[in-house]
Amino acid sequence: MSTKKENTGSQFNLGAFLTKNSMVIALVIVFILFYFLTGGRLLYAQNMSNLLLQNGYVLVMACGMLLCILTGGNIDLSVGSVICMVGGMAAVLLTNHGVSVFVTIPLCILIGLAAGVWQGYWIGYVRIPPFITTLGGMFIFRGIGRLILDSKTVAVQDQTFLNIFTAYIKIPGLDTDAHIWSPLLIGVLAVAFIVYSTISSRANKAKKGYRQNSAIGDFGRAAVISVVLLFYCYLLTQYKGISVMLVWVVVICLIYHFITSKTAFGRYFYAVGGNEKATQLSGINTNKVYFIAYANMGLLAGLCGLLCLARVGSVNGSTGTSFEMDAIGSCFIGGASAYGGSGTIPGVIIGALLLGVINMGMSIMGIGDSWQYIVKGGVLLVAVIFDVVSHRKSGK
C-alpha cells in the first residue's frame, strides 16, 4: 500500500514542477534577459560579487521579515529606521567617542533588539495592530537616529570595524595576489554537501515510507543549484574572493532556514498564520510567538545597521529609507503568502536575488531610479496577485 503511494508521488508532474518553481524560473529568465540587454556586463566578476554584497542587508532583514509575515501576513515598517538609529549610534560611538569596536558592536545589536522587544510587547501582549505599531516605530526610531547624528553625516574609518564586516578572506598557501582559489574550494565542498543532503533526504523518506518528489525533480534541482554555485564561486576567484559580509549573510540564512524548517518552534509561526485560534487551543502561546517575531526582527535590523555602516562607510539621517520595502518585497516575491502561514528562506533568497538582478541590470544599463521603482513595484504586484489567485482557486 505504502509502495503504491510512493510510486504515485514519485511520478514527474511538469505542471506542478513549473508552478512550484515559478520564481526560480522567473529569476533565470530575468537574468538571461539582462545578460543580453547589458551586453554581457552583468556577468562581470565584480558585478557578480557585488550582487550579493549590495543585497546582503536585504537577505538578513528578509529572514526576520518572513517570521513576521508567517504570523498572518503582518509586516514591520520600522526596520529601515532601526537601521538608521543603530548605524548612527555605532558611527558616533566609534568616530566621535572612540569607543572600542568590541563594545560598540554588541551594544548596538542590543539596541536593535530593544527596539524589537518594545514593538513586540505592544503587538504580542497588548495586541496593537502590527501595522500601526511599526508605523509609529518608523517615525520614532528615525527621529532618534537623526538626534544621535545631530542631522549630520558621520563617517567611520575604524579599520577593525570595517574588517569584521567587509574584509575579503584569503587562505594562506591557497590564495595569493595573482590567484585566489579558496572560493572554488568552498564551492566544491558546498556542492558535495548538497548532493549528500539530497541523497540522504530521499533515503530517509523512502525508509519511513513518506511520499516524495520524483528523482528527476530532486536531483535536477540539486544539479542546477550546484552548477550555478560553482560558476558563481569561479567568478569570485576572478575578483578578490569571498567577503566576510557574504559569510555573515550565508550564516544568517542557514540559521533561519534550520529554525523554520527543522524545529518545532519554527513551525509555531506557520501554525499561527494558518489558524491562530486552533493554535491557541493546541496549547501554544500565540502572544509569545508574535513577541518573538518582532523582537527577532529588531535584532536583525540592528545587525543590518552595522552591515550597512561598514558597507557604505558612513551614515546619515536618510540611511535605511525604504529598506523595509525591499525586505517585504523579497518575501512576497519569493513565495510568502500575503495571508501568512506559508513561505521559506530559500524562497526569500530567490526573491531578494530577483530584485537584486533587476536593480543591477537596470543600473548597468543607465536606467534611472524612477523606472527601477516602477519595475520593482510591478514585480511585487504580480507576485501578490499570483498568491491571491492561487488561494482562491484552492479554496483557502
Side-chain angles (χ1 to χ4, degrees):
M1 198 76 174
S2 64
T3 306
K4 196 171 188 181
K5 281 186 181 179
E6 187 180 326
N7 290 338
T8 302
S10 63
Q11 295 295 322
F12 181 71
N13 187 323
L14 180 60
F17 176 81
L18 292 176
T19 301
K20 184 177 180 181
N21 297 281
S22 56
M23 284 301 115
V24 177
I25 296 169
L27 175 61
V28 173
I29 293 172
V30 168
F31 196 94
I32 293 173
L33 175 65
F34 277 110
Y35 171 77
F36 287 106
L37 290 176
T38 60
R41 286 176 291 169
L42 182 65
L43 274 181
Y44 286 1
Q46 182 175 353
N47 289 334
M48 285 294 95
S49 177
N50 289 336
L51 177 62
L52 279 180
L53 299 184
Q54 290 175 356
N55 294 280
Y57 74 91
V58 178
L59 286 164
V60 173
M61 280 195 303
C63 288
M65 192 67 72
L66 177 64
L67 299 188
C68 298
I69 291 173
L70 288 177
T71 60
N74 302 305
I75 56 176
D76 187 339
L77 296 173
S78 69
V79 289
S81 298
V82 175
I83 286 173
C84 174
M85 179 179 69
V86 171
M89 177 62 74
V92 168
L93 289 175
L94 290 169
T95 302
N96 296 352
H97 300 287
V99 178
S100 168
V101 170
F102 302 104
V103 173
T104 299
I105 290 176
L107 177 62
C108 288
I109 291 177
L110 285 175
I111 290 172
L113 176 61
V117 167
W118 165 261
Q119 296 190 133
Y121 170 77
W122 295 112
I123 293 168
Y125 293 104
V126 184
R127 288 308 179 112
I128 306 297
F131 182 88
I132 300 300
T133 303
T134 59
L135 180 62
M138 180 176 72
F139 292 117
I140 293 170
F141 301 135
R142 176 72 61 182
I144 294 173
R146 290 181 176 178
L147 286 173
I148 292 170
L149 291 165
D150 195 22
S151 299
K152 298 176 183 176
T153 297
V154 180
V156 171
Q157 297 180 337
D158 189 300
Q159 200 58 47
T160 304
F161 175 80
L162 297 177
N163 287 342
I164 289 174
F165 296 107
T166 61
Y168 285 84
I169 298 172
K170 287 191 176 181
I171 300 176
L174 189 62
D175 298 326
T176 64
D177 292 335
H179 299 287
I180 301 173
W181 297 113
S182 56
L184 209 52
L185 173 62
I186 293 173
V188 170
L189 293 175
V191 166
F193 177 75
I194 290 170
V195 173
Y196 169 78
S197 296
T198 303
I199 295 173
S200 176
S201 175
R202 289 187 61 82
N204 288 335
K205 288 180 179 179
K207 184 178 179 181
K208 296 176 181 178
Y210 294 160
R211 293 187 62 176
Q212 55 184 320
N213 299 325
S214 66
I216 295 175
D218 282 345
F219 287 109
R221 187 186 305 110
V224 170
I225 293 172
S226 298
V227 170
V228 171
L229 184 60
L230 284 176
F231 179 67
Y232 183 74
C233 290
Y234 169 74
L235 290 177
L236 291 183
T237 65
Q238 310 299 306
Y239 180 77
K240 294 186 178 181
I242 296 175
S243 169
V244 175
M245 186 174 293
L246 180 58
V247 175
W248 278 97
V249 172
V250 170
V251 168
I252 293 294
C253 289
L254 288 175
I255 289 172
Y256 281 83
H257 176 58
F258 177 79
I259 290 172
T260 54
S261 64
K262 302 295 184 182
T263 67
F265 172 71
R267 305 312 296 179
Y268 291 170
F269 297 96
Y270 292 91
V272 170
N275 190 324
E276 185 177 349
K277 291 189 180 297
T279 304
Q280 284 178 324
L281 293 173
S282 67
I284 296 172
N285 186 339
T286 57
N287 291 345
K288 187 177 180 181
V289 173
Y290 279 109
F291 173 80
I292 291 175
Y294 284 89
N296 171 76
M297 187 70 256
L299 176 70
L300 291 183
L303 176 60
C304 283
L306 299 175
L307 291 174
C308 291
L309 174 60
R311 172 75 179 161
V312 178
S314 64
V315 62
N316 58 49
S318 298
T319 297
T321 301
S322 80
F323 280 16
E324 60 278 349
M325 299 307 170
D326 289 333
I328 294 167
S330 298
C331 291
F332 286 133
I333 292 170
S337 173
Y339 301 95
S342 66
T344 64
I345 296 297
V348 164
I349 295 172
I350 296 298
L353 290 178
L354 181 59
L355 286 178
V357 170
I358 291 172
N359 285 337
M360 179 167 285
M362 290 194 291
S363 296
I364 293 173
M365 293 172 64
I367 297 175
D369 290 343
S370 300
W371 281 106
Q372 292 185 32
Y373 279 117
I374 292 171
V375 172
K376 286 196 294 185
V379 171
L380 175 59
L381 184 60
V382 168
V384 174
I385 290 172
F386 179 79
D387 173 58
V388 171
V389 172
S390 300
H391 271 77
R392 286 179 181 171
K393 285 184 177 180
S394 62
K396 290 182 181 178

